[in-house]
């Protein structure tokens, strides 16, 4: 069992108090390295979710000034930075990513609260300089109401930071549900909110356990005005269907299938270094990980050699060991998906140039997948069509610019993409034609708190980060006044 000063309670949090489940049932949280049970979290009910919404509704009646919200946001950022080592440790134990990455994620999370604090004036009411229809006009940015925030397991600190920073900036009380696979980082965050920030009762509420009853309650409750969800496209589509009855606003950050395009004029070493950082972060389990690596024919072999050299140096192991580059995959289903993508590609003629095909995984833990590189991948293969979410680099070659663009866009997803070329004119031609909301140009970097991030096509809608993200939970109200 995990012991931590940030986990004095393994409970939910409603109306400023820690609460267990109202029944007997609980959910076990495992360390994906060895299956150790880290904790048992309460499996909270639909009734408790209702209570959380009621507490949040009551908090809405006490509006906070921009100055007060700024203070809270700064206090959360500071608490995260001060506790990054311990919070990073909790994150690593339940997720599996290396501890240094876990700490980096906590700092990244703090960045969203700092950015919101610094840019809060964007939400100030203002008057129009024109007088349309003979009136003076004031625009107010009102809180949308109670918001439901649902987060995935792959960034247990980062994903809630994106949502909660904007909710607090907008003065929206929230009901939060973390993934059942990684709820402990969220509980640790609530400990900091409880002990170090001083938010009013009901402003933030935490429920956890079975997704169905909690998710349905958030969708069906008329007081919940926005549901912001990060997770799979499959569940995102269920939420779209479930939100129709009340015309509820959704913010959806869904799956990706990122192309990483290397043109023949690229700096191949730089592109290879960037691919390594991008592809193997979180064990390859991020929505912005390169999924399809498109390399121009004339440099395909040279680039493959550079990647294979680098991949062979990677150390797979327990994230708490200082020399680990890559932890285990989150569970057996995650492991078997990568294995299926590799065996399918090999059956269809791809060549294995790094890694090996492991035996099926017996348990739901210990999924140390060997980093794998395949040459000769094609668009008929499962690894091309689906998000692999693991340490697989499928190399696909292309002839010219037009083919690269066509192949890159050959997916229903539109989240992240990457383009490597030293030819500025080429980049200017290609970037606008890529149907992705994030295009890394000579970089494999993912999102930053300062810039809006979200999806096109079936990767979702809405934006998190940047000033644009501060408006996700805002309802603009216009007041024309006749003189
Ligand atoms: P998931 O299975 O869709 O789950 C995400 C969250 O939704 C979890 O908290 C889950 O709870 C909950 N959930 C499941 N069914 C629900 C329902 N019917 N109603 C309400 N909530 C429900 O996704 P995941 O496996 O955790 O995350 C991986 C996916 O997230 C990948 O596809 C990845 O690309 C995507 N992702 C996207 C972004 C982005 O910015 N676009 C960022 C990160 C991840 P339980 O855990 O309790 O089931």
């Amino acid at each position: 069992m995990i012991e931590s000063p940030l986990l004095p309670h393994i409970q939910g949090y409603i109306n400023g108090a820690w609460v267990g489940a109202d029944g007997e049932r609980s959910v076990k949280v495992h360390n994906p390295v060895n299956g150790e049970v880290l904790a048992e979290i309460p499996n909270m009910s639909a009734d408790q979710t209702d209570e959380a919404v009621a507490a949040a509704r009551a908090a809405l009646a006490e509006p906070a000034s921009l100055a007060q919200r700024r203070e809270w946001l700064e206090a959360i950022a500071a608490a995260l930075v001060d506790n990054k080592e311990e919070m990073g440790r909790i994150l690593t134990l339940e997720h599996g990513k290396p501890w240094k990455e876990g700490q980096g994620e906590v700092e990244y999370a703090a960045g969203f609260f700092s950015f919101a604090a610094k840019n809060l004036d964007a939400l100030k009411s203002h008057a129009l300089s024109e007088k349309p229809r003979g009136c003076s006009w004031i625009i107010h940015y009102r809180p949308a109401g109670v918001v439901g925030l649902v987060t995935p397991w792959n960034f247990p600190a980062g994903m809630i930071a994106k949502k909660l920073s904007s909710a607090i900036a907008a003065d929206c009380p929230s009901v939060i549900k973390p993934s059942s696979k990684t709820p402990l980082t969220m509980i640790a965050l609530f400990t900091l909110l409880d002990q170090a920030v001083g938010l009013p009762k009901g402003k933030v509420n935490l429920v956890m356990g079975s997704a169905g009853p909690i998710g349905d309650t958030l969708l069906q409750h008329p007081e919940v005005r926005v549901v912001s969800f990060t997770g799979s496209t499959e569940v995102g589509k269920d939420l779209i269907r479930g939100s129709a009855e009340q015309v509820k606003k959704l913010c959806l950050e869904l799956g990706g299938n990122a192309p990483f395009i290397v043109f023949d004029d690229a700096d191949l070493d730089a592109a290879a270094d960037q691919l390594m950082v991008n592809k193997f972060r979180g064990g390859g389990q991020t929505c912005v990980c390169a999924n399809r690596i498109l390399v121009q024919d004339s440099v395909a072999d040279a680039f493959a050699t550079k990647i294979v050299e680098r991949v062979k140096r990677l150390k797979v192991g327990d994230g708490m060991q200082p020399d680990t580059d890559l932890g285990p995959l989150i569970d057996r289903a995650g492991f078997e998906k990568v294995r299926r993508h590799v065996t399918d590609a090999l059956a269809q003629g791809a060549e294995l140039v790094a890694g090996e095909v492991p035996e099926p995984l017996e348990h739901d833990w210990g999924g140390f997948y060997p980093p794998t590189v395949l040459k000769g991948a094609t668009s008929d293969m499962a690894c091309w069509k689906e998000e692999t979410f693991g340490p697989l680099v499928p190399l696909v070659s292309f002839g010219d610019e037009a083919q690269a663009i066509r192949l890159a866009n050959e997916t229903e997803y539109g989240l992240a993409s990457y383009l490597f070329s030293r030819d500025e004119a080429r980049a200017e031609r290609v970037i606008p034609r890529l149907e992705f909301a994030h295009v890394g140009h000579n970089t494999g970097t993912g999102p930053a708190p300062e810039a809006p991030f979200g999806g096109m096509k079936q990767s979702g809608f809405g934006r998190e980060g940047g000033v644009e993200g501060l408006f996700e939970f805002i309802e603009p109200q216009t007041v024309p006044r006749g003189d």
Side-chain angles (χ1 to χ4, degrees):
M1 286 281 186
I2 194 167
E3 298 275 337
S4 168
L6 293 183
L7 297 172
H9 310 268
I10 304 285
Q11 289 183 313
Y13 188 88
I14 298 177
N15 204 24
W18 293 100
V19 285
D22 53 6
E24 289 299 305
R25 294 169 312 143
S26 64
V27 181
K28 290 188 172 74
V29 183
H30 296 277
N31 183 337
V33 167
N34 51 19
E36 180 197 351
V37 176
L38 296 170
E40 291 194 32
I41 59 161
N43 190 2
M44 297 171 74
S45 64
D47 284 348
Q48 288 180 300
T49 310
D50 264 336
E51 278 172 37
V53 175
R57 179 71 186 87
L60 195 59
E62 304 285 336
S65 66
L66 283 177
Q68 174 64 80
R69 288 179 239 168
R70 183 174 285 114
E71 245 177 60
W72 289 332
L73 290 162
E74 285 168 350
I76 299 170
L80 285 169
V81 172
D82 289 348
N83 290 277
K84 73 169 183 183
E85 286 190 12
E86 181 56 11
M87 196 144 163
R89 188 180 74 90
I90 295 168
L91 199 161
T92 289
L93 288 175
E94 65 178 350
H95 176 285
K97 65 178 73 176
W99 191 16
K100 56 183 181 280
E101 267 191 42
Q103 294 179 58
E105 185 183 332
V106 176
E107 282 182 322
Y108 173 65
F112 284 90
F113 293 99
S114 300
F115 178 84
K118 284 192 193 113
N119 291 278
L120 211 48
D121 283 351
L123 302 183
K124 263 188 181 165
S125 303
H126 67 271
L128 294 186
S129 52
E130 305 91 344
K131 289 192 121 197
R133 305 194 186 286
C135 296
S136 51
W137 292 64
I138 311 267
I139 318 294
H140 298 287
Y141 295 121
R142 306 294 189 203
V146 174
V147 297
L149 312 180
V150 182
T151 56
W153 53 265
N154 66 339
F155 286 100
M159 295 300 129
I160 186 56
K162 292 178 172 212
K163 299 180 191 309
L164 184 59
S165 55
S166 289
I168 291 177
D171 207 19
C172 290
S174 49
V175 177
I176 297 171
K177 187 221 164 295
S179 166
S180 302
K181 295 186 182 110
T182 57
L184 301 177
T185 307
M186 186 75 83
I187 298 176
L189 170 67
F190 267 77
T191 302
L192 295 176
L193 297 176
D194 183 58
Q195 294 177 352
V197 181
L199 291 164
K201 281 184 181 175
K203 201 67 149 181
V204 289
N205 301 276
L206 172 62
V207 291
M208 60 188 89
S210 303
I214 295 173
D216 289 351
T217 308
L218 292 176
L219 280 181
Q220 287 160 14
H221 203 302
E223 294 293 353
V224 178
R225 297 290 156 74
V226 185
V227 174
S228 175
F229 167 84
T230 300
S232 59
T233 297
E234 197 187 1
V235 173
K237 287 180 184 178
D238 284 343
L239 297 181
I240 293 173
R241 284 185 277 270
S243 63
E245 190 56 38
Q246 292 181 18
V247 196
K248 203 172 291 277
K249 181 177 172 187
L250 295 178
C251 312
L252 297 180
E253 301 287 342
L254 309 177
N257 185 353
F260 188 102
I261 311 168
V262 183
F263 283 104
D264 56 6
D265 58 74
D267 176 338
L268 294 188
D269 281 305
D273 288 341
Q274 290 290 312
L275 178 61
M276 293 303 291
V277 177
N278 167 289
K279 176 72 228 186
F280 294 102
R281 183 178 293 123
Q285 304 169 108
T286 87
C287 57
V288 295
C289 277
N291 202 54
R292 298 169 295 145
I293 293 72
L294 300 162
V295 190
Q296 198 152 12
D297 288 334
S298 56
V299 294
D301 284 341
F303 189 71
T305 304
K306 289 179 189 299
I307 290 301
V308 168
E309 277 166 15
R310 286 161 172 79
V311 164
K312 287 190 171 161
R313 290 200 291 267
L314 289 175
K315 174 122 190 333
V316 183
D318 181 344
M320 289 310 295
Q321 296 304 319
D323 56 345
T324 293
D325 299 306
L326 218 64
L329 296 178
I330 190 72
D331 58 14
R332 177 165 39 193
F335 185 94
E336 290 306 327
K337 186 176 192 190
V338 185
R339 213 175 151 272
R340 174 170 63 80
H341 281 191
V342 173
T343 50
D344 166 77
L346 293 176
Q348 294 198 57
E351 183 191 350
L352 185 80
V353 287
E356 62 197 60
V357 183
E359 291 299 312
L361 192 64
E362 276 184 29
H363 304 291
D364 215 16
W365 54 82
F368 295 101
Y369 203 96
T372 303
V373 183
L374 296 175
K375 265 166 84 170
T378 68
S379 56
D380 294 324
M381 297 173 179
C383 64
W384 174 275
K385 296 176 189 158
E386 302 168 19
E387 189 181 30
T388 300
F389 241 52
L392 169 63
V393 179
L395 297 165
V396 179
S397 53
F398 67 87
D400 60 15
E401 204 174 291
Q403 193 192 8
I405 295 168
R406 186 180 58 71
L407 287 171
N409 288 335
E410 198 181 275
T411 170
E412 66 269 30
Y413 296 106
L415 197 62
S417 60
Y418 309 91
L419 150 80
F420 284 75
S421 167
R422 282 186 279 212
D423 178 345
E424 286 300 317
R426 166 178 268 162
E428 274 178 37
R429 278 193 308 273
V430 174
I431 290 171
R433 296 181 59 197
L434 291 174
E435 297 165 357
F436 297 86
H438 177 97
V439 186
H441 178 195
N442 292 337
T443 175
T445 192
E450 296 78 6
F453 180 80
M456 293 182 182
K457 296 160 74 178
Q458 294 192 29
S459 290
F461 39 75
R463 291 294 180 267
E464 294 180 335
V467 172
E468 291 83 349
L470 294 180
F471 286 85
E472 281 299 275
F473 303 116
I474 288 288
E475 291 285 10
Q477 183 183 53
T478 47
V479 184
R481 192 180 128 177
D483 292 324

